[in-house]
Amino acid sequence: MKARRSTKNVLAPLIVLVVLLIGLELIIKAFNISRQVLPAPSAILSVCAKEFKVNIWSHLIVTLKVIITGFIVGVPIGIFCAALLSQFKILEKAFSPYVIMLVTTPFIILVPIFMLWLGFGLNVRILAVILQTIPIVMLNSLSGFNNVEKVKLDLMNSLGATKVQTFIKVIFPNALPQVFTGIKLGGIFSTIAAVSAEFAGAQTGLGNRIMYFSSFIETELAFGCILIIALIGITLFNLTSMVERKIIIWKK
Amino acid sequence: MTIKALTTKNLTKNYQSRSGTTCALNDINIDIDDKQIVSIMGPSGCGKSTLLQILGGINKPTSGTISFYGHEYSEGIPNEDLKKIGFVFQADNLLAWRTVKDNLYLPLEIMNLRGKEWDNRIHELLDMVGLKKFINAYPHELSGGMRQRIRLIRALVHNPNLLLMDQPFGALDAITRKLLNYEFLSLCKKTQKTILLVTNDIDEALLLSSKIYIMSSSPGKITNEVKYDLPIAERNRVTARTNKYQQLRIELKKIIQEEMMQLRVS
Ligand SMILES: Nc1ncnc2c1ncn2[C@@H]1O[C@H](COP(=O)(O)OP(=O)(O)OP(=O)(O)O)[C@@H](O)[C@H]1O
Ligand SMILES: [Mg+2]
């Protein structure tokens, strides 16, 4: 039963993808759309496959490194900050407006400033990813940490539990679904932040390649890079969902 | 004279809220002997949960004192003494992410009680309520009555002297409730705990307790007290058919009806 459902989950979107690609291919062929406007899926596939090793692979690695590093550093910091804020109301009052500000700030506009301070290396991009990931993870985790039913806290008080025990044994596990929502969004925000930072100024990475290929009217390669970035985001999201399903087995 | 398990002196609780001050409890004086089972009855909102929460260390009194086995406290019962108290809540608060077994271990973890004796105790208790098979189940895999039993024995795992129970059978259907009442009666005979039971069911109160306090609301106070001194060991399924029981039942009904009249008048 379970196995069948998961194959259905994979198969259904795949069928949509295939239908979409075939449709796109047919439309492009039928209306004779120029490859400079919109390259055919088949062309994107074949050109990218040919150029992958030389022109894409190294940049993919760079972008992945930025996303993963930023994500891995940003997520625990976000959860930790949310934990602190939830347990000390004064901190929450003091900081929550700024957290929301950070969520809504597109970091691409700050990247040029960071570059003045940190140069053009990977560190700037990693910093951008971290700074974009923390607040979204924080915001979701915080709402989880703040939404514990009173009867569960009463239980801990009736047992004479300390604040730390209450957090570890009730507040944190109780909030795991929201924490995971935060982590999943964090993955998406990490991907967006990394590519934006590469747009804003970088010599490497997939974001930079999109600009580079476009300027040489290599539309197939540019679109190929866009698709790869989308794939990275989806993969990160699905990996997190997989971990979530492994951990949150009590919700069905 | 032997030491009382629990007494309260002029226990009062005011809640501050935006709409002003609510006096939830006003000068509550109750006393419970060691190994005695006492019930509290009263209309919804009269402060029964508030009283139990104060006695169980969840809430602090505004004024008044509690003595617990001879120690008098004015700020509520301290953590060290909470180890001698078990609390059964009105709402279902099993932890969904823990199996039955891990839910039962929670009090032991908090109170730092470890060892073979405690493991055995958990198995014994599960056996007593007939749920040994479900030791590794998650709460959502159990029926309401089963969850109720688990919450009951969770309050007993650390072997407390006093059990505070807030309408423990309130959310169950009539048949399951009766069943659990008798089950609980035999559990009481075995474990011999001091118990303070909040209930809205006259038969439940009469079956289990040797003293019943009646409360009225706004402000919550004790208005009546009914005693039924049949020892717990002599109570069983036919107790309800005895004359004494029926007589007390009528008396209790009358008191509660009068109280409802007053509610309507005020
Ligand atoms: N945290 C709180 N803040 C303000 N008022 C409260 C709070 N908790 C309870 N009250 C008020 O105190 C009164 C007593 O509430 P309590 O929950 O003790 O009643 P109860 O007798 O347990 O009722 P029920 O039988 O419905 O469970 C009510 O008027 C309620 O509105
Ligand atoms: Mg109540």
Side-chain angles (χ1 to χ4, degrees), chain A residues 148 150-162 165-166 168-175 249-252, chain B residues 53 56-59 79 82-83 85 87 89 91-98 106-107 109-111 138 140 154 158:
Chain A
V148 206
K150 183 164 175 298
V151 275
K152 288 182 184 154
L153 299 178
D154 284 352
L155 169 65
M156 295 307 273
N157 285 332
S158 80
L159 297 171
T162 62
Q165 283 175 324
T166 303
I168 293 174
K169 292 185 192 293
V170 170
I171 298 175
F172 186 75
N174 191 63
I249 38 179
W250 65 87
K251 279 225 159 161
K252 266 282 122 73
Chain B
Q53 282 167 7
I58 298 164
N59 217 324
N79 281 356
L82 288 181
K83 292 187 179 179
I85 299 178
F87 203 114
F89 291 83
D92 188 347
N93 61 355
L94 288 176
L95 303 181
W97 54 89
R98 284 177 173 241
L106 182 79
E109 288 168 22
I110 304 294
M111 296 173 186
Y138 281 92
H140 75 265
R154 179 181 64 186
H158 55 292

Short mmCIF file of all heavy atoms in Angstrom, two decimals, chain A residues 148 150-162 165-166 168-175 249-252, chain B residues 53 56-59 79 82-83 85 87 89 91-98 106-107 109-111 138 140 154 158:
data_model
loop_
_atom_site.label_atom_id
_atom_site.label_comp_id
_atom_site.label_asym_id
_atom_site.label_seq_id
_atom_site.Cartn_x
_atom_site.Cartn_y
_atom_site.Cartn_z
N VAL A 148 2.45 25.57 21.94
CA VAL A 148 2.31 24.31 22.68
C VAL A 148 1.00 24.40 23.45
O VAL A 148 0.70 25.42 24.05
CB VAL A 148 3.42 24.12 23.72
CG1 VAL A 148 3.64 22.66 23.99
CG2 VAL A 148 4.68 24.82 23.28
N LYS A 150 -1.44 24.23 26.42
CA LYS A 150 -1.17 24.49 27.84
C LYS A 150 -1.16 23.18 28.64
O LYS A 150 -0.36 23.03 29.56
CB LYS A 150 -2.20 25.46 28.40
CG LYS A 150 -1.95 25.81 29.84
CD LYS A 150 -2.71 27.03 30.30
CE LYS A 150 -2.51 27.27 31.79
NZ LYS A 150 -2.99 26.17 32.65
N VAL A 151 -2.04 22.22 28.27
CA VAL A 151 -2.12 20.98 29.07
C VAL A 151 -0.81 20.20 29.04
O VAL A 151 -0.53 19.45 29.97
CB VAL A 151 -3.25 20.04 28.59
CG1 VAL A 151 -4.54 20.44 29.24
CG2 VAL A 151 -3.35 19.98 27.10
N LYS A 152 -0.02 20.37 27.96
CA LYS A 152 1.25 19.66 27.91
C LYS A 152 2.28 20.34 28.82
O LYS A 152 3.09 19.68 29.46
CB LYS A 152 1.76 19.58 26.48
CG LYS A 152 0.94 18.60 25.65
CD LYS A 152 1.46 18.47 24.24
CE LYS A 152 0.54 17.56 23.44
NZ LYS A 152 0.60 17.86 22.01
N LEU A 153 2.22 21.67 28.86
CA LEU A 153 3.12 22.38 29.77
C LEU A 153 2.70 22.12 31.22
O LEU A 153 3.55 21.95 32.10
CB LEU A 153 3.08 23.89 29.48
CG LEU A 153 3.53 24.29 28.07
CD1 LEU A 153 3.41 25.79 27.88
CD2 LEU A 153 4.97 23.84 27.83
N ASP A 154 1.38 22.05 31.45
CA ASP A 154 0.87 21.73 32.79
C ASP A 154 1.41 20.39 33.25
O ASP A 154 1.80 20.22 34.41
CB ASP A 154 -0.67 21.67 32.78
CG ASP A 154 -1.29 23.05 32.75
OD1 ASP A 154 -0.54 24.04 32.89
OD2 ASP A 154 -2.52 23.15 32.57
N LEU A 155 1.43 19.44 32.34
CA LEU A 155 1.95 18.11 32.67
C LEU A 155 3.38 18.22 33.19
O LEU A 155 3.73 17.67 34.24
CB LEU A 155 1.91 17.21 31.44
CG LEU A 155 2.65 15.89 31.52
CD1 LEU A 155 2.03 14.97 32.55
CD2 LEU A 155 2.71 15.20 30.17
N MET A 156 4.21 18.97 32.45
CA MET A 156 5.61 19.11 32.86
C MET A 156 5.72 19.83 34.20
O MET A 156 6.54 19.46 35.04
CB MET A 156 6.40 19.86 31.78
CG MET A 156 6.49 19.11 30.46
SD MET A 156 7.11 17.42 30.65
CE MET A 156 8.88 17.70 30.56
N ASN A 157 4.89 20.85 34.41
CA ASN A 157 4.92 21.56 35.70
C ASN A 157 4.50 20.65 36.84
O ASN A 157 5.05 20.72 37.94
CB ASN A 157 4.01 22.79 35.65
CG ASN A 157 4.63 23.91 34.84
OD1 ASN A 157 5.85 24.00 34.75
ND2 ASN A 157 3.81 24.72 34.22
N SER A 158 3.50 19.80 36.57
CA SER A 158 3.03 18.91 37.63
C SER A 158 4.10 17.89 38.02
O SER A 158 4.06 17.32 39.10
CB SER A 158 1.76 18.19 37.20
OG SER A 158 2.06 17.10 36.37
N LEU A 159 5.05 17.66 37.11
CA LEU A 159 6.13 16.72 37.41
C LEU A 159 7.35 17.43 38.00
O LEU A 159 8.35 16.81 38.33
CB LEU A 159 6.54 15.97 36.14
CG LEU A 159 5.47 15.10 35.49
CD1 LEU A 159 5.92 14.60 34.13
CD2 LEU A 159 5.13 13.92 36.39
N GLY A 160 7.25 18.76 38.10
CA GLY A 160 8.38 19.53 38.62
C GLY A 160 9.53 19.63 37.65
O GLY A 160 10.68 19.67 38.04
N ALA A 161 9.23 19.66 36.33
CA ALA A 161 10.29 19.71 35.32
C ALA A 161 10.94 21.10 35.28
O ALA A 161 10.30 22.11 35.56
CB ALA A 161 9.71 19.38 33.96
N THR A 162 12.23 21.12 34.92
CA THR A 162 12.91 22.40 34.74
C THR A 162 12.56 22.96 33.37
O THR A 162 12.00 22.27 32.53
CB THR A 162 14.44 22.22 34.79
OG1 THR A 162 14.81 21.36 33.70
CG2 THR A 162 14.89 21.60 36.10
N GLN A 165 14.27 20.91 30.66
CA GLN A 165 13.59 19.63 30.45
C GLN A 165 12.30 19.85 29.65
O GLN A 165 12.00 19.08 28.73
CB GLN A 165 13.25 18.99 31.79
CG GLN A 165 14.43 18.35 32.49
CD GLN A 165 14.06 17.82 33.87
OE1 GLN A 165 13.27 18.43 34.59
NE2 GLN A 165 14.65 16.70 34.25
N THR A 166 11.54 20.87 30.01
CA THR A 166 10.28 21.14 29.31
C THR A 166 10.55 21.44 27.84
O THR A 166 9.84 20.96 26.96
CB THR A 166 9.55 22.32 29.96
OG1 THR A 166 9.34 22.02 31.32
CG2 THR A 166 8.22 22.58 29.27
N ILE A 168 13.21 20.49 25.95
CA ILE A 168 13.73 19.33 25.23
C ILE A 168 12.67 18.23 25.07
O ILE A 168 12.56 17.63 24.01
CB ILE A 168 14.96 18.74 25.97
CG1 ILE A 168 16.11 19.75 25.91
CG2 ILE A 168 15.39 17.42 25.36
CD1 ILE A 168 17.31 19.34 26.71
N LYS A 169 11.87 18.01 26.11
CA LYS A 169 10.96 16.87 26.07
C LYS A 169 9.58 17.20 25.52
O LYS A 169 8.86 16.30 25.08
CB LYS A 169 10.84 16.25 27.46
CG LYS A 169 12.14 15.60 27.90
CD LYS A 169 12.02 14.89 29.22
CE LYS A 169 13.36 14.50 29.77
NZ LYS A 169 14.06 13.46 28.97
N VAL A 170 9.18 18.46 25.54
CA VAL A 170 7.85 18.80 25.04
C VAL A 170 7.86 19.85 23.94
O VAL A 170 7.41 19.60 22.82
CB VAL A 170 6.92 19.26 26.19
CG1 VAL A 170 5.63 19.84 25.64
CG2 VAL A 170 6.62 18.10 27.12
N ILE A 171 8.42 21.02 24.22
CA ILE A 171 8.29 22.13 23.28
C ILE A 171 8.95 21.80 21.94
O ILE A 171 8.35 21.99 20.88
CB ILE A 171 8.87 23.42 23.88
CG1 ILE A 171 8.09 23.80 25.14
CG2 ILE A 171 8.83 24.56 22.87
CD1 ILE A 171 8.63 24.97 25.89
N PHE A 172 10.17 21.26 21.99
CA PHE A 172 10.88 20.98 20.74
C PHE A 172 10.22 19.88 19.91
O PHE A 172 9.87 20.10 18.75
CB PHE A 172 12.36 20.67 21.01
CG PHE A 172 13.16 20.52 19.75
CD1 PHE A 172 13.51 21.64 19.01
CD2 PHE A 172 13.53 19.27 19.28
CE1 PHE A 172 14.21 21.52 17.83
CE2 PHE A 172 14.24 19.13 18.10
CZ PHE A 172 14.58 20.26 17.38
N PRO A 173 10.01 18.68 20.49
CA PRO A 173 9.36 17.64 19.66
C PRO A 173 7.96 18.05 19.18
O PRO A 173 7.57 17.73 18.07
CB PRO A 173 9.29 16.42 20.59
CG PRO A 173 9.64 16.90 21.95
CD PRO A 173 10.41 18.16 21.81
N ASN A 174 7.24 18.78 20.02
CA ASN A 174 5.91 19.23 19.65
C ASN A 174 5.95 20.16 18.43
O ASN A 174 5.02 20.19 17.64
CB ASN A 174 5.28 19.96 20.85
CG ASN A 174 3.82 20.22 20.66
OD1 ASN A 174 3.03 19.29 20.55
ND2 ASN A 174 3.45 21.48 20.57
N ALA A 175 7.06 20.90 18.29
CA ALA A 175 7.16 21.89 17.21
C ALA A 175 7.80 21.31 15.95
O ALA A 175 7.91 22.01 14.94
CB ALA A 175 7.97 23.09 17.70
N ILE A 249 7.03 10.13 12.67
CA ILE A 249 6.24 8.97 12.30
C ILE A 249 4.91 8.93 13.03
O ILE A 249 4.06 8.12 12.74
CB ILE A 249 7.00 7.65 12.62
CG1 ILE A 249 7.76 7.83 13.92
CG2 ILE A 249 7.92 7.25 11.50
CD1 ILE A 249 8.51 6.60 14.34
N TRP A 250 4.70 9.85 14.01
CA TRP A 250 3.47 9.77 14.79
C TRP A 250 2.32 10.51 14.13
O TRP A 250 1.20 10.46 14.60
CB TRP A 250 3.71 10.33 16.19
CG TRP A 250 4.04 11.77 16.20
CD1 TRP A 250 3.16 12.81 16.24
CD2 TRP A 250 5.34 12.35 16.19
NE1 TRP A 250 3.83 14.00 16.25
CE2 TRP A 250 5.18 13.75 16.21
CE3 TRP A 250 6.64 11.83 16.14
CZ2 TRP A 250 6.26 14.62 16.20
CZ3 TRP A 250 7.68 12.72 16.13
CH2 TRP A 250 7.50 14.08 16.16
N LYS A 251 2.61 11.22 13.05
CA LYS A 251 1.53 11.97 12.39
C LYS A 251 1.07 11.22 11.17
O LYS A 251 1.82 11.02 10.25
CB LYS A 251 2.05 13.36 11.97
CG LYS A 251 2.06 14.34 13.09
CD LYS A 251 1.49 15.68 12.64
CE LYS A 251 1.03 16.46 13.86
NZ LYS A 251 0.89 17.87 13.60
N LYS A 252 -0.18 10.78 11.18
CA LYS A 252 -0.67 10.10 9.98
C LYS A 252 -2.12 10.39 9.84
O LYS A 252 -2.83 10.52 10.80
CB LYS A 252 -0.43 8.59 10.10
CG LYS A 252 0.89 8.18 9.45
CD LYS A 252 0.81 8.10 7.91
CE LYS A 252 1.80 9.02 7.22
NZ LYS A 252 3.17 8.61 7.26
N GLN B 53 -5.06 22.29 40.16
CA GLN B 53 -3.81 22.82 39.61
C GLN B 53 -2.94 23.44 40.70
O GLN B 53 -1.71 23.32 40.67
CB GLN B 53 -4.10 23.85 38.52
CG GLN B 53 -4.50 23.20 37.21
CD GLN B 53 -5.08 24.19 36.23
OE1 GLN B 53 -5.08 25.40 36.48
NE2 GLN B 53 -5.59 23.70 35.12
N GLY B 56 -1.45 20.69 42.65
CA GLY B 56 -0.51 19.90 41.87
C GLY B 56 0.70 20.68 41.39
O GLY B 56 1.45 20.21 40.53
N GLY B 57 0.90 21.89 41.90
CA GLY B 57 2.10 22.65 41.55
C GLY B 57 2.08 23.30 40.18
O GLY B 57 3.09 23.78 39.70
N ILE B 58 0.91 23.33 39.53
CA ILE B 58 0.82 23.93 38.21
C ILE B 58 0.50 25.41 38.31
O ILE B 58 0.86 26.20 37.46
CB ILE B 58 -0.27 23.20 37.39
CG1 ILE B 58 0.10 21.73 37.22
CG2 ILE B 58 -0.50 23.87 36.05
CD1 ILE B 58 -1.06 20.87 36.78
N ASN B 59 -0.17 25.77 39.40
CA ASN B 59 -0.67 27.13 39.59
C ASN B 59 -0.35 27.56 41.01
O ASN B 59 -0.23 26.72 41.89
CB ASN B 59 -2.20 27.09 39.39
CG ASN B 59 -2.70 28.32 38.68
OD1 ASN B 59 -2.19 29.41 38.91
ND2 ASN B 59 -3.70 28.13 37.84
N ASN B 79 8.91 21.60 44.16
CA ASN B 79 9.21 20.50 43.24
C ASN B 79 9.55 19.19 43.94
O ASN B 79 9.14 18.12 43.48
CB ASN B 79 10.38 20.88 42.33
CG ASN B 79 9.92 21.77 41.19
OD1 ASN B 79 8.73 22.04 41.06
ND2 ASN B 79 10.85 22.24 40.39
N LEU B 82 6.49 17.47 44.80
CA LEU B 82 5.66 17.08 43.65
C LEU B 82 5.94 15.62 43.26
O LEU B 82 5.10 14.97 42.64
CB LEU B 82 5.92 18.00 42.45
CG LEU B 82 5.38 19.42 42.58
CD1 LEU B 82 5.69 20.21 41.32
CD2 LEU B 82 3.88 19.40 42.83
N LYS B 83 7.11 15.13 43.63
CA LYS B 83 7.43 13.72 43.34
C LYS B 83 6.47 12.77 44.04
O LYS B 83 6.35 11.62 43.67
CB LYS B 83 8.85 13.41 43.79
CG LYS B 83 9.90 14.11 42.96
CD LYS B 83 11.29 13.62 43.33
CE LYS B 83 12.30 14.33 42.45
NZ LYS B 83 13.67 13.92 42.77
N ILE B 85 3.31 13.34 44.27
CA ILE B 85 1.97 13.59 43.75
C ILE B 85 1.87 13.11 42.30
O ILE B 85 2.80 13.30 41.51
CB ILE B 85 1.65 15.10 43.81
CG1 ILE B 85 1.69 15.59 45.27
CG2 ILE B 85 0.27 15.38 43.20
CD1 ILE B 85 1.43 17.07 45.42
N PHE B 87 -0.75 13.36 38.84
CA PHE B 87 -1.83 14.21 38.34
C PHE B 87 -2.45 13.59 37.11
O PHE B 87 -1.76 13.27 36.15
CB PHE B 87 -1.27 15.60 38.01
CG PHE B 87 -2.29 16.70 38.03
CD1 PHE B 87 -2.23 17.71 38.98
CD2 PHE B 87 -3.32 16.73 37.10
CE1 PHE B 87 -3.18 18.73 39.01
CE2 PHE B 87 -4.27 17.73 37.12
CZ PHE B 87 -4.20 18.73 38.08
N PHE B 89 -5.03 14.51 34.17
CA PHE B 89 -5.58 15.75 33.66
C PHE B 89 -6.96 15.58 33.03
O PHE B 89 -7.34 14.49 32.60
CB PHE B 89 -4.63 16.35 32.62
CG PHE B 89 -3.35 16.85 33.22
CD1 PHE B 89 -2.31 15.98 33.48
CD2 PHE B 89 -3.20 18.18 33.55
CE1 PHE B 89 -1.13 16.42 34.06
CE2 PHE B 89 -2.04 18.64 34.13
CZ PHE B 89 -1.00 17.76 34.38
N ALA B 91 -7.86 17.08 30.25
CA ALA B 91 -7.70 16.96 28.80
C ALA B 91 -6.69 15.86 28.48
O ALA B 91 -5.85 15.51 29.28
CB ALA B 91 -7.22 18.29 28.23
N ASP B 92 -6.81 15.31 27.29
CA ASP B 92 -5.90 14.26 26.83
C ASP B 92 -4.55 14.89 26.52
O ASP B 92 -4.43 15.66 25.57
CB ASP B 92 -6.48 13.61 25.56
CG ASP B 92 -5.68 12.38 25.16
OD1 ASP B 92 -4.57 12.19 25.70
OD2 ASP B 92 -6.16 11.62 24.31
N ASN B 93 -3.57 14.60 27.34
CA ASN B 93 -2.26 15.18 27.05
C ASN B 93 -1.14 14.14 27.03
O ASN B 93 -0.04 14.38 27.50
CB ASN B 93 -1.94 16.31 28.04
CG ASN B 93 -1.88 15.81 29.47
OD1 ASN B 93 -2.16 14.65 29.73
ND2 ASN B 93 -1.50 16.67 30.39
N LEU B 94 -1.43 12.98 26.44
CA LEU B 94 -0.34 12.06 26.13
C LEU B 94 0.51 12.72 25.05
O LEU B 94 0.00 13.48 24.22
CB LEU B 94 -0.90 10.74 25.61
CG LEU B 94 -1.58 9.82 26.64
CD1 LEU B 94 -2.16 8.60 25.94
CD2 LEU B 94 -0.60 9.40 27.72
N LEU B 95 1.80 12.46 25.06
CA LEU B 95 2.66 13.08 24.06
C LEU B 95 2.65 12.22 22.79
O LEU B 95 3.04 11.06 22.82
CB LEU B 95 4.08 13.23 24.62
CG LEU B 95 4.17 14.04 25.92
CD1 LEU B 95 5.60 14.16 26.39
CD2 LEU B 95 3.55 15.43 25.74
N ALA B 96 2.18 12.82 21.70
CA ALA B 96 1.92 12.08 20.47
C ALA B 96 3.17 11.44 19.89
O ALA B 96 3.09 10.42 19.22
CB ALA B 96 1.28 13.01 19.43
N TRP B 97 4.35 12.05 20.16
CA TRP B 97 5.58 11.55 19.54
C TRP B 97 6.24 10.46 20.37
O TRP B 97 7.30 9.95 20.02
CB TRP B 97 6.56 12.71 19.31
CG TRP B 97 6.83 13.48 20.55
CD1 TRP B 97 7.80 13.24 21.48
CD2 TRP B 97 6.11 14.62 21.02
NE1 TRP B 97 7.73 14.15 22.50
CE2 TRP B 97 6.71 15.01 22.25
CE3 TRP B 97 5.03 15.36 20.54
CZ2 TRP B 97 6.24 16.09 22.98
CZ3 TRP B 97 4.58 16.43 21.27
CH2 TRP B 97 5.18 16.80 22.48
N ARG B 98 5.64 10.13 21.49
CA ARG B 98 6.20 9.07 22.32
C ARG B 98 5.28 7.86 22.30
O ARG B 98 4.06 8.01 22.30
CB ARG B 98 6.35 9.54 23.77
CG ARG B 98 7.53 10.47 23.99
CD ARG B 98 7.55 10.95 25.43
NE ARG B 98 8.76 11.71 25.70
CZ ARG B 98 9.68 11.36 26.61
NH1 ARG B 98 9.50 10.29 27.35
NH2 ARG B 98 10.75 12.09 26.79
N LEU B 106 8.14 9.13 31.01
CA LEU B 106 8.36 10.58 31.15
C LEU B 106 8.52 11.03 32.61
O LEU B 106 9.50 11.70 32.94
CB LEU B 106 7.24 11.36 30.44
CG LEU B 106 7.40 12.87 30.49
CD1 LEU B 106 8.42 13.34 29.46
CD2 LEU B 106 6.07 13.58 30.27
N PRO B 107 7.57 10.68 33.50
CA PRO B 107 7.73 11.12 34.90
C PRO B 107 9.04 10.61 35.50
O PRO B 107 9.70 11.34 36.25
CB PRO B 107 6.53 10.49 35.61
CG PRO B 107 5.53 10.26 34.54
CD PRO B 107 6.31 9.93 33.32
N GLU B 109 11.84 10.01 33.91
CA GLU B 109 12.95 10.79 33.35
C GLU B 109 13.08 12.12 34.08
O GLU B 109 14.17 12.54 34.46
CB GLU B 109 12.71 11.06 31.86
CG GLU B 109 12.88 9.84 30.97
CD GLU B 109 12.34 10.09 29.56
OE1 GLU B 109 12.24 11.26 29.16
OE2 GLU B 109 12.02 9.10 28.87
N ILE B 110 11.94 12.79 34.26
CA ILE B 110 11.98 14.11 34.89
C ILE B 110 12.46 13.99 36.33
O ILE B 110 13.22 14.82 36.82
CB ILE B 110 10.57 14.76 34.90
CG1 ILE B 110 10.00 14.85 33.49
CG2 ILE B 110 10.60 16.12 35.56
CD1 ILE B 110 10.73 15.77 32.59
N MET B 111 12.02 12.94 37.02
CA MET B 111 12.36 12.82 38.44
C MET B 111 13.63 12.02 38.67
O MET B 111 14.00 11.75 39.81
CB MET B 111 11.20 12.16 39.18
CG MET B 111 9.97 13.02 39.14
SD MET B 111 8.56 12.18 39.82
CE MET B 111 7.29 13.39 39.46
N TYR B 138 1.69 3.96 19.46
CA TYR B 138 1.62 5.41 19.64
C TYR B 138 0.21 5.78 20.10
O TYR B 138 -0.75 5.06 19.79
CB TYR B 138 1.94 6.12 18.33
CG TYR B 138 3.42 6.18 18.06
CD1 TYR B 138 4.06 5.19 17.33
CD2 TYR B 138 4.19 7.21 18.59
CE1 TYR B 138 5.43 5.22 17.11
CE2 TYR B 138 5.56 7.26 18.37
CZ TYR B 138 6.17 6.27 17.64
OH TYR B 138 7.51 6.32 17.44
N HIS B 140 -2.06 7.72 19.07
CA HIS B 140 -3.12 7.81 18.07
C HIS B 140 -3.60 6.43 17.61
O HIS B 140 -4.61 6.33 16.92
CB HIS B 140 -2.68 8.67 16.88
CG HIS B 140 -1.70 7.99 15.95
ND1 HIS B 140 -0.34 8.16 16.06
CD2 HIS B 140 -1.89 7.15 14.92
CE1 HIS B 140 0.26 7.45 15.14
NE2 HIS B 140 -0.65 6.82 14.42
N ARG B 154 0.04 6.64 33.99
CA ARG B 154 1.19 7.55 33.91
C ARG B 154 1.32 8.35 35.21
O ARG B 154 2.42 8.69 35.64
CB ARG B 154 1.03 8.52 32.73
CG ARG B 154 2.19 9.52 32.63
CD ARG B 154 2.03 10.48 31.48
NE ARG B 154 0.86 11.32 31.64
CZ ARG B 154 0.43 12.18 30.74
NH1 ARG B 154 1.06 12.30 29.58
NH2 ARG B 154 -0.63 12.92 30.94
N HIS B 158 5.56 6.89 39.12
CA HIS B 158 6.61 7.27 40.08
C HIS B 158 6.18 6.97 41.52
O HIS B 158 6.81 7.42 42.46
CB HIS B 158 6.98 8.74 39.90
CG HIS B 158 5.83 9.69 40.00
ND1 HIS B 158 4.83 9.73 39.04
CD2 HIS B 158 5.49 10.60 40.92
CE1 HIS B 158 3.95 10.65 39.39
NE2 HIS B 158 4.31 11.18 40.53
#
